Structures are given as C-alpha cells and as structure tokens.
Amino acid sequence: TVGMDMKSTRVFYEFLHQLHRKQPISLVMVTHDLSVIAHYVDRVACLNHRLLFHGDAATFQEQQQKILSNVYGHEMQLLKPYH
C-alpha cells in the first residue's frame, strides 16, 4: 500500500476482507500498517527476528502500545490520525 492514498488503501483492505469472508481461504499479509489492518483481520502476528505476539485482533488492539513497544524494543506513544 506504499504510495496509495488513504481511500485507496481502505478500499484495498476492504476488498481483501470481503474476499476472505466469501472464499474458504486464508490470507497472509505482511504490513507495517498494523493499526489499520487490525480492523480487517481475525488474527495478528508481530515479528522482529522472532515471534513477539500472536493472537486475535481484539487483543492486539487492546494491548497495541505494549505490544509495539516490545516489537520495536523501546517505549512507544501511539498517535491517532486526525481525519
């Protein structure tokens, strides 16, 4: 989704979400856009040389700051975009 505007990115993620719901397939996606993608997926895995989190998207969203601080190796402050 690099170089895509926010609307196109949302349309793309929504397309993948609908595809997953309609087809009996699993989708594996690699992204750094975790705060956005977590709204469209059932499960999240975070890697940084090893598996640091694997769980349902709701748990990821609830503990996102703690999980990402662990992934990046230092305290993080999450900012919500203003739109």
Side-chain angles (χ1 to χ4, degrees):
T1 58
V2 173
M4 291 174 66
D5 60 52
M6 291 185 70
K7 181 180 179 185
S8 298
T9 299
R10 187 178 66 244
V11 169
F12 175 70
Y13 288 147
E14 186 61 36
F15 167 75
L16 292 178
H17 181 72
Q18 293 302 322
L19 178 66
H20 172 68
R21 290 201 176 283
K22 292 178 182 177
Q23 302 292 325
I25 59 173
S26 293
L27 296 171
V28 176
M29 178 177 233
V30 177
T31 184
H32 291 124
D33 207 358
L34 293 170
S35 60
V36 174
I37 198 68
H39 297 284
Y40 295 99
V41 299
D42 299 322
R43 303 197 58 76
V44 175
C46 294
L47 306 166
N48 189 356
H49 301 283
R50 62 187 174 92
L51 183 64
L52 296 167
F53 174 80
H54 183 244
D56 62 85
T59 300
F60 175 81
Q61 290 174 339
E62 291 167 5
Q63 300 176 11
Q64 187 173 5
Q65 186 163 337
K66 177 183 172 189
I67 293 165
L68 293 180
S69 292
N70 190 27
V71 167
Y72 292 113
H74 54 83
E75 287 298 314
M76 306 233 0
Q77 182 179 8
L78 299 177
L79 303 174
K80 295 189 181 205
Y82 177 74
H83 296 283

